[in-house]
Amino acid sequence: DGSFARGVHFQSNPTTGDRRTSGSAASLTGIEAALESQDLASLQTAIDRLISAYAIVFGFGGIPLLYMGDELGLLNDHSFLEDPTKAEDNRWIHRPAMNWDLVKRARNKEGVEGAIFSAFKSLIKARQRLGSLHAATTSDVSTLAGGSVLVIHREHASGDLIQIYNLSESTHYIERESLLQPHMYEHISAQEMHFDQTVAVPAYSSWWLTSQR
């Protein structure tokens, strides 16, 4: 996909032929390319893609790993190519020095950084409230819509958690019967949701649903 070309950096091993892919999460999900092209629609899609990926990480159980700068949408650092001591190791592309100006923008809810930082805080708050995300709880994983919609069901004494992720750029429709109740609470957005028999799942949406708050 050409929209990701700026975000992906490959490095080949001349001995084995293996290729290593490196890059920051924001760049790999298309944020860097969208900013460079000034394509606002693609930018929002890329932001949603990043947040959806981390929602799965935060929602699977155990202790999630958050790589430094991903909570700000930190982009690739291409300057490593200009340093002879780093140029041969493309992992430096996702090891930039922290940009503290971006931290200020994020805390002030400004720009892309603010949008991503606010979304991560919502994920953390939702995770803190849900006993069903304890590491001892098993995850029942399935897919719908030809594999585009990921469903994770976690049974817990405090209440079952149904997670739904649309991992594509298109809206997909699923049947509510046997999966969802007509009225449920979505913990990431902290909103009540109401479902008809056929449920539209928007592109890159991430829902953590329980029957009660």
Side-chain angles (χ1 to χ4, degrees), residues 155-168:
E155 295 185 12
H156 193 265
S158 65
D160 290 2
L161 174 65
I162 301 292
Q163 301 175 36
I164 297 179
Y165 305 97
N166 183 347
L167 306 181
S168 75

Side-chain angles (χ1 to χ4, degrees), residues 98-106:
M98 176 57 76
N99 186 332
W100 295 107
D101 289 335
L102 296 185
V103 175
K104 292 179 182 178
R105 285 174 55 81

